[in-house]
Amino acid sequence: MTPFLRKFRVLFSTQFALMTEYRAEIVIWMLSGTLSLIMMLVWMGQAAAAPGGQIRGFSAGDFASYFLATWFVGQLLVVWVAWELDFEVRQGTLSPKLLRPLDPMWGHYSGHVAEKIVRFPIMLVLVAVFAWLAGARFSLDWRVYAAVLILVVLGFTVRFLWEYSLGLLAFWTESSTSFQEVVWLVYAALGGLFAPLAFYPQWVQNIAVWTPFPYMLGLPANLIAGKATLEQAGQGALVLLGWLAVFVLVRLMVWRVGLRKYGAVGA
């Protein structure tokens, strides 16, 4: 095992033990993210009232499947690193982390991954309950879930890196989290949190396909709901890999420039 993997294993073990102590809080955080569930009820009601019980090929059950899948995937994409970095830079708690033999980013990344593992079994139970209540139906093809896993890992890493880069803006601004809130709105809109992307005007769809957002959230949800193909999943993975390379470089550039400013003021 390489020195990096040994260090990361220690970080992950520590973070996992920490996250298990916050199980109750994690459940509360999960239940607070109910926007997808609210949108599910809205669209199910619209479909039930529509002629033929469908809207653009989506029945009430299809909407239930899509939005429950969106909720599930969205829970796996939750990132809060921008808030942590904003606090660390302002309070100076970043300084001791710079003395460690590993980039502080990996501590945050391992903490996020550990939290997802703690969150996952609770999510499965909640999705099963919600699916039974709403009459949702999900794909039974194991290849779909393998593709979803790849998209979620790539999507989570892309989101983590852009959130990390936004958090580092605390080196220059008084509130870097303000940028994070604006980006979240774009992510939610183009990712399909409010409605499937196919329901948007064509010009919005044409813009969205050049961003990572539809492939992070809407595409995995459509795969689970049986509304997308494995070929589309492969194309989405390639797009996310491209954005991953972009944000790796952006994060590294902002980190290096920001550290010079951080050190210049005596940190």
Side-chain angles (χ1 to χ4, degrees), residues 149-169:
L149 176 61
I150 293 171
L151 289 171
V152 166
V153 171
L154 289 173
F156 164 73
T157 305
V158 167
R159 184 175 182 186
F160 178 86
L161 289 172
W162 94 50
E163 295 272 3
Y164 200 96
S165 301
L166 290 174
L168 292 177
L169 295 179

Side-chain angles (χ1 to χ4, degrees), residues 26-34 37 71 75 119 126 130:
I26 288 174
V27 173
I28 294 172
W29 296 337
M30 289 170 57
L31 294 177
S32 65
T34 57
L37 303 181
W71 180 83
Q75 292 291 321
R119 180 187 292 240
L126 291 175
F130 295 150

